[in-house]
Amino acid sequence: MKPPLKFALYSVLYASEDGVWEYEIYEKLKGHYNPRALSKLRSILLELHNKSWTDEVDAEVYGETVFRKYKLQERHREFVDYQLSPLKIIKELGLDVGKGEVKHEPVAK
């Protein structure tokens, strides 16, 4: 059984040390979630940013669309690791998070 979309999103953000573009998140998750569920991805990202869970580290304008690059705030990493086991979710979904390895070590419990 796949995890809820929000958990997968947290896991992708957790695995990315330098941040990840919203379209890259979409590409990583589109084989695992239906388009209707993924249509909420941008609003979830904006909600996380508005609640200070993520930082917007870059933005690009393409036509009339703004693409943002988000990074999980460092202060939330331990909580996400403890509550969600993001590396397990990444493995279960078979997500490519870069060079096949996660740059952060899991937080000791």
Side-chain angles (χ1 to χ4, degrees):
M1 187 166 111
K2 66 184 167 199
L5 177 62
K6 202 168 195 176
F7 291 4
L9 174 60
Y10 275 115
S11 298
V12 171
L13 289 167
Y14 178 88
S16 176
E17 188 172 284
D18 299 324
V20 61
W21 290 96
E22 57 190 323
Y23 64 85
E24 291 177 319
I25 297 169
Y26 179 86
E27 286 297 315
K28 290 177 188 309
L29 299 179
K30 75 177 182 180
H32 304 283
Y33 297 90
N34 65 48
R36 187 173 181 174
L38 289 174
S39 69
K40 300 172 186 167
L41 193 59
R42 180 172 276 181
S43 65
I44 294 170
L45 284 164
L46 289 172
E47 176 188 347
L48 291 175
H49 181 65
N50 289 339
K51 293 182 177 179
S52 298
W53 276 80
T54 62
D55 290 320
E56 185 179 308
V57 293
D58 202 355
E60 294 286 332
V61 178
Y62 184 76
E64 294 184 16
T65 305
V66 177
F67 294 101
R68 294 173 179 87
K69 185 175 185 179
Y70 292 99
K71 180 179 176 181
L72 184 65
Q73 287 188 359
E74 197 62 38
R75 65 190 175 130
H76 296 300
R77 296 187 68 72
E78 183 176 356
F79 179 79
V80 169
D81 184 53
Y82 177 75
Q83 288 292 321
L84 301 181
S85 301
L87 300 179
K88 181 180 176 187
I89 292 172
I90 289 167
K91 184 177 179 183
E92 286 176 359
L93 292 175
L95 297 179
D96 177 18
V97 293
K99 297 178 182 170
E101 60 185 76
V102 177
K103 296 178 181 179
H104 281 85
E105 293 296 320
V107 177
K109 294 181 183 172

